[in-house]
Amino acid sequence: MSVPQLLFHAQSLAQQGRGQEALALFDQALSQAPDMAEAWFHRGNLLTAMGRHEEAAASYTKVLLRLPGHVNSLNNRAVALQRVGHFSEAARDFEAVLASAPQHRQALGGLANCTLHACDWSRREEWIRRLHAAVRTDSADITPGLLLGYSEDPALLLAA
């Protein structure tokens, strides 16, 4: 099978919930085309869906080595790092996402969540201001659980 065929087949298997088979095909495609960022990206997505977050982060890193600043890979790596408790590293990626895509819907909440988990209170007032504004304007995905770390305003929590 050609590399594009392998990728197509791998993605089809992943959508069917056949993760191990899909992963084997992604790996086969990458053995033939190790610089293919698209394959690394989809492999990372699959590993994330499988709950293998450290491996997913490594796959997104491979994308970023080939496509520095790839916003979706930065965000997805940040999420993966966050899920395994690497909050400082995740925060750096979320910051990079916001620097290149300020309107990204997930990055602000992810960054605020990382700083909350890391007990980094140095920017607390900034987060309160930014999160409140984001909820009021519906410009970012902010969960009530996250907002509880920064606000006790019942109307704002309900809006979130």
Side-chain angles (χ1 to χ4, degrees), residues 120-136:
D120 176 1
W121 311 121
S122 64
R123 295 168 63 187
R124 184 169 173 21
E125 293 305 314
E126 174 189 353
W127 294 127
I128 290 170
R129 181 183 50 75
R130 290 178 73 180
L131 292 171
H132 287 208
V135 170
R136 286 188 185 103

Side-chain angles (χ1 to χ4, degrees), residues 8-54:
F8 179 78
H9 192 55
Q11 289 172 325
S12 296
L13 289 171
Q15 290 173 352
Q16 296 171 31
R18 296 165 61 185
Q20 285 304 124
E21 294 171 82
L23 187 59
L25 290 181
F26 280 126
D27 289 344
Q28 185 179 346
L30 286 163
S31 72
Q32 295 176 38
D35 289 329
M36 183 176 262
E38 178 186 5
W40 286 112
F41 180 76
H42 290 296
R43 183 180 189 273
N45 291 345
L46 173 62
L47 288 165
T48 296
M50 295 171 75
R52 294 166 60 176
H53 302 295
E54 297 226 17

Side-chain angles (χ1 to χ4, degrees), residues 10 80 100-101 113 116 123 150:
S100 62
N113 192 42
L116 190 64
R123 295 168 63 187
Y150 293 99

Side-chain angles (χ1 to χ4, degrees), residues 45-115:
N45 291 345
L46 173 62
L47 288 165
T48 296
M50 295 171 75
R52 294 166 60 176
H53 302 295
E54 297 226 17
E55 293 172 85
S59 287
Y60 296 127
T61 297
K62 297 280 190 175
V63 175
L64 293 165
L65 290 171
R66 288 146 181 87
L67 300 172
H70 187 262
V71 172
N72 288 334
S73 292
L74 276 168
N75 185 72
N76 291 1
R77 182 173 71 178
V79 170
L81 291 168
Q82 185 179 22
R83 287 185 179 159
V84 294
H86 298 293
F87 299 113
S88 296
E89 294 171 57
R92 280 192 296 274
D93 280 353
F94 283 130
E95 290 271 13
V97 170
L98 288 171
S100 62
Q103 302 306 316
H104 194 280
R105 289 200 58 90
Q106 290 85 36
L108 178 63
L111 180 54
N113 192 42
C114 285
T115 59

